[in-house]
């Protein structure tokens, strides 16, 4: 039980950290709620789907921005999708970067767009790492015989 | 012997005398004969000689005299009778002719004399005409010079060119030694030497303006001769032996623009003159002639006109430059203002989002918490948290509303609501706070107050809460009475507010609310300021009210939107105060709601917790979005199908699907068009599924577009479990859902 308690504490600390830093917001908690006996891996599935989608979207955006004549509308459409997805999984920081990105697209500012793309990649990577850590923690809790606590 | 008729010539010793006589007679005869010849010769030569007859006569006379003398020659010696006869004839004839001539000459000599006089007269006349011709020619030249000068002067609108040209041309025309212009200084007390013909640097030299010579010149509009020694004429250091030429000075009126209304110039009230001084060359003995003076006067007038034109041009140029500057400044200010407004709107939009997010988190999680296992104490706490956060959310909304109120873009959410319960709820909310301060709150609803009314419930409640809250805040003790009744027509006419025009009709009634407190009261002088934004009364502020001063300002705006009037009465400090307001509400049965854009929202009587087997269709092109929405709905027990494009949608949609969620802010997929198509496909209302739009931002435009295409609801995404639950509940109960998030 001690190990479980330890892991649980660690889990609480970690989620607090993630919430504080803005990596995740309450929408993520909503997602967690949808996980029940019928769909035990709901969150993991959604998150993997998100990262798969984001790969594709990021590649599209990078390619579009490399063209001689940049089609900002296309980039904007990709960012819009990305923003929507981020909002659905509760990735707040990503969503905010996307908002900036969209502004740059509207202003047709190539420099700004490239900067934002870089930022998006970084945030994505950071989020991926964080979520992987979180899921590993959860696995360990389950392995130690405990139950994953409810996210506040 | 008979007397002998022969006369013995005397040949005395005076034979010499006789010889001389003989010779003289001969010469006389010769001369007498040659004179007519000469006369004839010269008269023939001359073209004009009117007196030929006289000449003939005279010729005859002379000839006869000569003949006489000639014949005399023969009488010196013995001569015959014939000679004597001839002699006598000749003498007689001569006598006759000479007498005739003498008589004739009496007439002729005066004539001849008068010819001479006439000749003299004509010569004089000719000389005079010559002189006058010379004069006219000079004048004509002068005139030409004036025209040329004027042309030169008037061909430029530049002040300096005008004056310089004047001096140069005048100098040339009149062959002046020096020409100078003295302008009055700003103080009009001195004349400053501004322009000269020959000197290079004339600046600085000044003379006082009130010298007698200057006054003399200024007082007449003619050119005046002045002494070369006067200060205005002493322009050059004079080398001793020069005899200075004559100097003339003339005034040049400096016309101001305002003087042009007067018809006769230059006899104006203008007092400003410049002085033009012209000097003839020294040692030239030239004098100023009348025509030259006139020329100078004419030029001075022309210069005055040219200068005033130049002044007008300068004025208008300056005015135009000033206007351009102002235009630029105004443009800049406008752009800055626009930027500021944009910045503010951006700020509001961001704050909107930022503030609402945590609020939603709090509200959502508290409501979730409510559903878990709680002890009664915990439940109470959670309920209070929920209520407070709802109030806070409303407050946030309204702070943001205030800016929309300022823009005039706020619209009331008109709906039917329970009027009585509004007041009861306000009473319930206020009672605990009032009881802490030991204030009693009495609510008095009139008997004829309708139970239901049509209006904006939320804002009405806010207004009442604010007014009552103020009453509680500023009363330390005593009681608060809230009276609510319907204002009757007679009492309405008493209100002479500037912007309140009550109109009676069958569809509406005027609700009158009076909140009387026994608190600290308000100074009557401060009453007008109460409704000003952010302006807090000093004495009230000391009570640590903690408000931002927005409350009453917002209330006033809400009341105005509801076509009403709000005012506060107070008899003074310490005497309590009464807040009153009147708003216009509709009667629920008799009003026509078709003109209102919003459908009436019925309060949900219960919220379903689960929707087993409900067939739902979700259309969204975003994979993540799709899976989460699906997960959400499946968690609530629905049977969910997802599609990602319009074609798929149209293939899959059937009568079995009860609810459709479609994302309308997908670029490339026209959700609105799709909604129209669905309406066309399912004409009967009960066959058609409920259409709900999912969108990332809710504003008036989105809502209106959704309503226009026949959607039944709009939800802001992402959606929480709670939200989804209540949405589905409401939709299934009423088939309609429109609310702002």
């Amino acid at each position: 039980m001690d190990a479980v308690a330890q892991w649980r504490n660690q889990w609480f600390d970690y989620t607090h950290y993630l919430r504080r830093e803005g990596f995740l917001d309450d929408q993520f908690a909503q997602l967690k709620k949808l996980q029940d006996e019928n769909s035990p891996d709901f969150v993991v599935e959604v998150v993997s789907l998100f990262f798969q989608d984001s790969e594709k979207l990021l590649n599209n955006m990078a390619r579009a921005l490399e063209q001689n004549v940049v089609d900002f509308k296309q980039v904007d459409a990709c960012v819009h999708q990305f923003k929507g997805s981020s909002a659905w999984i509760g990735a707040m920081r990503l969503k905010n970067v996307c908002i900036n990105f969209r502004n740059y697209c509207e202003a047709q500012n190539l420099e700004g767009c490239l900067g934002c793309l870089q930022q998006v990649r970084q945030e994505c990577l950071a989020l991926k790492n964080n979520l992987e850590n979180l899921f590993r923690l959860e696995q360990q809790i389950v392995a130690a015989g405990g139950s994953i606590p409810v996210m506040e | 012997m008979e007397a002998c008729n022969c006369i013995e010539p005397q040949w005395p010793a005076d034979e010499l005398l006789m010889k001389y006589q003989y010779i003289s007679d001969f010469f006389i005869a010769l001369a007498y004969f040659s004179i007519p010849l000469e006369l004839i010769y010269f008269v023939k030569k001359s073209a004009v000689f009117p007196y030929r007859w006289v000449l003939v006569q005279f010729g005859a006379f002379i000839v006869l005299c000569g003949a006489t003398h000639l014949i005399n020659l023969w009488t010196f010696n013995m001569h015959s009778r014939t000679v004597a006869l001839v002699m006598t004839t000749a003498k007689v004839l001569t006598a006759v002719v000479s007498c005739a001539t003498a008589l004739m000459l009496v007439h002729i000599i005066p004539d001849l004399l008068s010819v001479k006089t006439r000749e003299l007269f004509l010569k004089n006349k000719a000389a005079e005409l010559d002189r006058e011709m010379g004069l006219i020619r000079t004048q004509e030249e002068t005139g030409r010079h004036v025209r040329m000068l004027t042309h030169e002067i008037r061909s430029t609108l530049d002040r300096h060119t005008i004056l310089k040209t004047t001096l140069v041309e005048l100098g040339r025309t009149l062959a002046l030694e020096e020409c100078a212009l003295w302008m009055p200084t700003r103080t009009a007390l001195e004349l400053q030497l501004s322009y000269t013909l020959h000197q290079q640097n004339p600046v600085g030299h000044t003379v006082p303006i009130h010298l007698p010579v200057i006054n003399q010149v200024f007082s007449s509009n003619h050119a005046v001769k002045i002494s070369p020694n006067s200060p205005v004429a002493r322009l050059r250091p004079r080398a001793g032996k020069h005899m200075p030429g004559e100097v003339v000075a003339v005034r040049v009126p400096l016309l101001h623009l305002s003087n042009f209304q007067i018809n006769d110039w230059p006899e104006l009230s203008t007092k400003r003159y410049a002085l033009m001084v012209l000097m003839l060359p020294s040692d030239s003995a030239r004098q100023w002639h009348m025509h030259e003076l006139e020329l100078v006067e004419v030029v001075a007038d022309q210069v005055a006109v040219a200068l005033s034109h130049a002044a007008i041009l300068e004025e208008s140029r300056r005015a135009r430059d000033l206007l351009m500057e102002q235009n630029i400044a105004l443009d800049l200010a406008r752009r800055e203002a626009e930027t500021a407004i944009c910045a503010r709107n951006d700020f509001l939009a961001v704050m909107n989002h930022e503030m609402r997010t945590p609020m939603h988190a709090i509200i959502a999680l508290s409501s979730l918490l409510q559903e878990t296992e709680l002890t009664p104490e915990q439940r109470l706490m959670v309920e209070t948290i929920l209520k407070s956060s709802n109030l806070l959310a409303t407050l946030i909304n309204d702070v943001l509303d205030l800016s929309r109120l300022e823009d005039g873009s706020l619209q009331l959410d008109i709906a039917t609501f329970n009027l009585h319960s509004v007041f009861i709820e306000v009473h319930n909310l206020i009672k605990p706070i009032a009881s802490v301060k030991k204030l009693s709150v009495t609510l008095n609803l009139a008997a004829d107050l309708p139970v239901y009314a049509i209006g904006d419930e939320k804002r009405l409640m806010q207004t009442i809460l604010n007014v009552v809250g103020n009453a509680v805040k500023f009363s330390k003790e005593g009681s608060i009475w809230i009276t609510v009744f319907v204002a009757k027509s007679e009492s309405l006419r008493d209100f002479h507010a500037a912007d309140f025009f009550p109109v009676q009709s069958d569809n509406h009634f005027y609700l009158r609310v009076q909140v009387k407190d026994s608190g600290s009261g308000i100074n009557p002088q401060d009453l007008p300021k109460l409704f000003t934004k952010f302006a807090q009364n000093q004495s009230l502020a000391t009570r640590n009210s903690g408000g931002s001063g927005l409350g009453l300002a917002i209330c006033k705006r809400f009341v105005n939107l509801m076509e009403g009037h709000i005012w506060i009465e107070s008899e003074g400090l310490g005497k309590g105060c009464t807040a009153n307001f009147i708003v216009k509400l509709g009667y629920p049965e008799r009003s026509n709601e078709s003109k209102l854009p919003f459908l009436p929202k019925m309060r949900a009587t219960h919220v379903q917790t689960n929707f087993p087997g409900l067939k739902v269709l979700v259309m969204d092109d975003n994979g993540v979005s799709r899976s989460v929405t699906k997960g959400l709905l499946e968690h609530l027990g629905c049977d969910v199908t997802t599609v990602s494009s319009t074609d798929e949608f149209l293939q899959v949609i059937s009568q079995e699907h009860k609810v459709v969620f479609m994302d309308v802010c997908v670029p490339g997929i026209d959700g609105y068009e799709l909604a129209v198509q669905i309406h066309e496909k399912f004409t009967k209302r009960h066959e058609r599924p409920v259409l709900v739009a999912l969108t990332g931002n809710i504003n008036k435009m989105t809502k209106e577009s959704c309503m226009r295409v026949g959607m039944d609801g709009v939800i802001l995404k992402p959606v929480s479990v709670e939200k989804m639950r209540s949405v589905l509940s409401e939709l299934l109960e009423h088939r309609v859902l429109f609310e702002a998030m």
Side-chain angles (χ1 to χ4, degrees):
Chain A
M1 283 313 268
D2 262 328
V4 173
Q6 232 180 2
W7 288 127
R8 280 172 76 102
N9 282 339
Q10 241 191 322
W11 189 96
F12 272 115
D13 289 335
Y14 201 64
T15 42
H16 273 139
Y17 160 74
L18 290 178
R19 295 297 287 271
R20 211 175 40 242
E21 292 297 312
F23 283 106
L24 297 174
D25 61 14
D26 55 300
Q27 179 60 21
F28 194 73
Q30 291 284 329
L31 282 188
K32 291 231 113 197
K33 273 205 294 183
L34 301 179
Q35 193 160 283
D36 52 20
E37 319 78 53
N38 297 335
S39 43
D41 296 316
F42 182 65
V43 180
V44 179
E45 279 169 12
V46 171
V47 168
S48 329
L49 186 60
F50 171 75
F51 284 115
Q52 274 172 23
D53 260 356
S54 62
E55 268 302 302
K56 262 188 282 187
L57 283 172
L58 284 170
N59 287 338
N60 282 347
M61 281 189 251
R63 222 175 316 128
L65 286 171
E66 276 165 20
Q67 304 290 331
N68 285 341
V69 180
V70 178
D71 185 359
F72 282 102
K73 282 212 190 317
Q74 197 190 357
V75 181
D76 190 52
C78 290
V79 179
H80 178 81
Q81 285 246 5
F82 206 94
K83 186 177 112 183
S85 311
S86 322
W88 275 112
I89 68 160
M92 192 164 83
R93 279 162 74 128
L94 257 180
K95 191 178 63 173
N96 290 339
V97 179
C98 288
I99 294 177
N100 274 348
F101 204 152
R102 287 201 77 185
N103 287 340
Y104 281 121
C105 283
E106 258 180 59
Q108 306 219 346
N109 183 342
L110 187 60
E111 295 273 311
C113 285
L114 288 170
C116 275
L117 184 64
Q118 187 67 357
Q119 242 185 320
V120 167
R121 277 198 209 274
Q122 281 171 344
E123 286 294 330
C124 239
L125 206 58
L127 185 66
K128 198 161 177 194
N129 287 337
N130 284 329
L131 286 176
E132 276 173 10
N133 288 341
L134 191 65
F135 292 147
R136 219 178 305 129
L137 261 180
E138 288 179 355
Q139 276 171 355
Q140 280 173 329
I141 294 178
V142 170
S147 62
I148 304 173
V150 174
M151 211 177 218
E152 303 170 15
Chain B
M1 189 117 121
E2 307 174 342
C4 184
N5 285 350
C6 8
I7 298 158
E8 292 255 338
Q10 302 285 335
W11 291 96
D14 46 3
E15 205 171 287
L16 201 65
L17 284 167
M18 292 255 309
K19 259 207 178 123
Y20 278 122
Q21 274 190 357
Y22 189 79
I23 292 171
S24 314
D25 268 336
F26 177 68
F27 273 112
I28 287 170
L30 200 64
Y32 274 20
F33 280 136
S34 62
I35 284 175
L37 287 174
E38 284 169 10
L39 269 175
I40 290 170
Y41 175 70
F42 282 114
V43 166
K44 273 232 158 85
K45 273 256 170 144
S46 87
V48 178
F49 195 78
Y51 301 108
R52 280 188 195 265
W53 176 240
V54 172
L55 203 62
V56 165
Q57 258 187 326
F58 197 66
F61 165 69
I62 288 285
V63 162
L64 283 170
C65 276
T68 313
H69 278 285
L70 192 66
I71 295 170
N72 229 8
L73 286 178
W74 273 268
T75 57
F76 284 113
N77 295 333
M78 287 250 298
H79 54 282
S80 60
R81 194 179 164 88
T82 2
V83 170
L85 206 62
V86 167
M87 182 75 202
T88 317
T89 323
K91 274 206 176 145
V92 165
L93 275 174
T94 309
V96 166
V97 170
S98 47
C99 286
T101 309
L103 284 171
M104 193 114 313
L105 275 176
V106 168
H107 293 289
I108 285 182
I109 286 177
D111 266 350
L112 280 175
L113 280 176
S114 73
V115 162
K116 256 314 185 206
T117 344
R118 244 181 283 154
E119 191 187 312
L120 207 64
F121 177 69
L122 281 172
K123 233 195 262 173
N124 281 343
K125 255 295 190 243
E128 214 178 279
L129 278 172
D130 265 337
R131 264 201 309 276
E132 273 181 19
M133 265 299 282
L135 216 65
I136 287 176
R137 231 181 266 130
T138 329
Q139 279 182 344
E140 209 221 277
E141 251 194 46
T142 312
R144 204 164 30 87
H145 277 130
V146 169
R147 273 196 299 282
M148 187 210 17
L149 236 157
T150 312
H151 174 75
E152 287 286 329
I153 291 171
R154 300 286 289 273
S155 68
T156 169
L157 283 173
D158 173 43
R159 206 163 183 238
H160 296 284
T161 321
I162 289 172
L163 292 169
K164 213 53 189 167
T165 314
T166 311
L167 296 181
V168 164
E169 292 297 325
L170 266 180
R172 214 176 36 205
T173 308
L174 299 171
L176 300 170
E177 177 183 9
E178 182 62 81
C179 190
L181 191 74
W182 299 75
M183 303 281 279
T185 56
R186 277 195 204 286
T187 58
L189 290 175
E190 290 182 324
L191 284 181
Q192 187 178 33
L193 183 59
S194 311
Y195 302 91
T196 58
L197 190 53
H198 293 301
Q199 272 181 312
Q200 292 306 109
N201 303 320
V203 293
H205 202 176
T206 59
V207 298
I209 207 171
H210 292 296
L211 292 177
V213 62
I214 298 179
N215 281 338
Q216 184 197 6
V217 176
F218 279 0
S219 57
S220 119
N221 65 346
H222 295 294
V224 174
K225 290 207 184 90
I226 63 176
S227 152
N229 291 326
S230 56
V232 291
R234 264 187 297 185
L235 294 173
R236 294 214 218 181
R238 246 186 302 139
K241 62 178 176 83
H242 281 218
M243 188 60 199
E246 286 200 346
V247 181
V248 144
V250 70
R251 74 175 187 189
V252 180
L254 297 174
L255 299 172
H256 287 289
L257 300 168
S258 54
N259 291 335
F260 276 97
Q261 273 88 38
I262 308 171
N263 284 333
D264 54 320
W265 65 276
E267 253 71 63
L268 310 163
S269 54
T270 170
K271 293 278 186 280
R272 292 186 75 221
Y273 298 110
L275 188 74
M276 197 154 56
V277 175
L278 308 122
M279 283 182 271
L280 288 180
S282 38
D283 287 346
S284 72
R286 246 183 74 187
Q287 294 222 325
W288 282 98
H289 299 132
M290 250 348 268
H291 68 270
E292 285 169 344
L293 293 180
E294 282 169 7
L295 173 87
V296 166
E297 286 160 24
V298 167
V299 166
D301 284 338
Q302 288 298 321
V303 166
V305 172
L307 280 179
S308 52
H309 284 185
I312 294 176
L313 184 71
E314 247 180 68
E315 275 289 319
S316 72
R317 272 208 199 112
R318 223 173 337 122
R320 188 198 57 177
D321 286 339
L322 198 65
L323 273 175
M324 271 197 349
E325 262 178 47
Q326 282 180 344
N327 258 0
I328 292 174
L330 277 174
D331 209 25
L332 191 67
R334 181 183 56 90
R335 263 184 279 127
E336 277 177 10
E338 278 177 7
T339 321
I341 290 179
C342 279
R344 185 202 68 165
N345 287 344
D346 288 340
F347 168 75
L348 280 179
V350 167
M351 287 304 287
N352 192 349
H353 183 262
E354 297 305 316
M355 284 206 277
R356 286 190 166 138
T357 312
M359 275 319 302
H360 287 153
I362 296 173
I363 293 176
L365 292 173
S366 329
S367 55
L368 269 180
L369 197 56
Q370 250 188 343
E371 295 189 4
T372 60
E373 290 286 327
L374 297 168
T375 69
E377 286 172 351
Q378 287 176 322
R379 187 160 290 278
L380 201 62
M381 287 188 229
V382 171
E383 275 174 7
T384 316
I385 294 175
L386 203 53
K387 257 193 228 154
S388 312
S389 30
N390 272 327
L391 271 175
L392 185 59
T394 313
L395 182 66
I396 291 176
N397 281 340
D398 285 327
V399 166
L400 299 167
D401 279 349
L402 186 65
S403 38
R404 278 196 287 153
L405 268 177
E406 311 275 87
D407 295 342
S409 60
L410 184 78
Q411 278 190 342
L412 297 177
D413 294 327
I414 308 289
T416 310
F417 63 96
N418 188 329
L419 192 57
H420 284 230
S421 64
V422 165
F423 287 100
I424 294 171
E425 209 168 305
V426 167
H427 189 220
N428 289 340
L429 276 171
I430 283 296
K431 244 192 329 188
I433 307 173
S435 63
V436 163
K437 291 177 89 167
K438 305 230 179 348
L439 298 164
S440 73
V441 181
T442 323
L443 175 64
N444 192 354
L445 297 177
D448 62 349
L449 193 71
V451 178
Y452 285 97
I454 296 184
D456 189 336
E457 175 190 12
K458 197 171 64 153
R459 277 148 191 156
L460 180 65
M461 175 137 75
Q462 208 178 336
T463 312
I464 303 168
L465 260 179
N466 201 303
V467 169
V468 174
N470 275 347
V472 169
K473 223 187 328 186
F474 297 119
S475 306
K476 273 206 265 201
E477 58 190 4
S479 29
I480 297 178
W481 290 277
I482 309 174
T483 327
V484 186
F485 54 96
V486 174
K488 294 290 180 291
S489 42
E490 316 84 53
S491 53
L492 275 178
R493 278 189 224 113
D494 292 336
F495 298 112
H496 309 298
D499 47 0
F500 181 51
F501 307 103
V503 169
Q504 287 290 79
S505 84
D506 277 343
N507 294 337
H508 300 107
F509 67 96
Y510 284 90
L511 180 77
R512 167 92 184 262
V513 176
Q514 200 169 40
V515 178
K516 192 159 152 48
D517 72 53
S518 57
S520 49
I522 298 174
N523 203 330
Q525 295 167 339
D526 293 329
L527 282 175
K529 279 194 288 178
L530 281 173
F531 294 101
T532 323
K533 246 193 329 172
F534 305 120
Q536 289 248 23
N537 193 313
Q538 277 312 311
S539 59
L540 300 181
T542 56
R543 290 177 177 281
N544 197 17
S545 50
S548 63
L550 276 180
L552 281 178
I554 297 186
C555 287
K556 185 172 163 76
R557 279 185 182 74
F558 284 155
V559 166
N560 284 343
L561 271 177
M562 292 191 236
E563 297 178 51
H565 181 54
I566 180 169
W567 73 100
I568 297 190
E569 299 161 6
S570 173
E571 287 172 32
L573 289 167
K575 298 206 174 77
C577 85
T578 312
N580 298 280
F581 68 87
I582 299 185
V583 290
K584 187 171 164 189
L585 296 173
Y587 284 117
E589 312 89 311
R590 289 179 260 162
S591 65
N592 56 331
E593 297 161 358
S594 53
K595 64 176 166 73
L596 297 171
F598 294 98
L599 302 170
K601 170 173 167 245
M602 297 294 174
R603 202 182 289 250
T605 43
H606 70 277
V607 176
Q608 251 179 290
T609 48
N610 234 350
F611 307 90
L614 179 68
K615 272 184 107 64
V616 180
L617 183 58
V618 173
M619 185 188 89
D620 194 328
D621 74 327
N622 186 323
V624 174
S625 183
R626 264 201 314 272
S627 0
V628 178
T629 316
K630 181 168 172 178
L632 201 53
L633 290 164
E634 280 178 348
H635 181 74
L636 295 172
C638 305
D639 177 4
V640 186
T641 329
T642 58
V643 295
S644 55
S645 72
T646 19
D647 298 327
E648 251 188 278
F649 182 90
L650 290 169
Q651 278 173 3
V652 172
I653 185 75
S654 72
Q655 278 191 26
E656 293 180 335
H657 295 104
K658 292 285 176 259
V659 185
V660 167
F661 287 94
M662 63 171 82
D663 189 327
V664 293
C665 51
V666 179
I669 294 187
D670 191 353
Y672 302 115
E673 179 62 38
L674 194 53
V676 173
Q677 283 180 335
I678 294 174
H679 271 274
E680 285 170 9
K681 193 162 172 176
F682 299 99
T683 44
K684 296 212 193 59
R685 196 173 149 93
H686 63 268
E687 286 173 13
R688 182 170 58 80
V690 177
L691 295 171
V692 182
L694 282 169
T695 169
N697 69 336
I698 278 201
N699 52 27
K700 223 155 58 111
M701 218 168 50
T702 324
K703 271 203 271 196
E704 280 175 8
S705 324
C706 290
M707 277 196 291
R708 227 196 338 216
V709 296
M711 303 255 193
D712 300 303
V714 182
I715 314 182
L716 188 66
K717 55 174 188 172
V719 194
S720 66
V721 176
E722 194 51 43
K723 184 95 203 123
M724 190 58 96
R725 196 178 281 145
S726 69
V727 161
L728 284 176
S729 208
E730 190 129 344
L731 281 173
L732 292 174
E733 205 173 306
H734 304 294
R735 278 199 74 92
V736 90
L737 164 77
F738 268 106
E739 58 173 63
M741 285 276 290

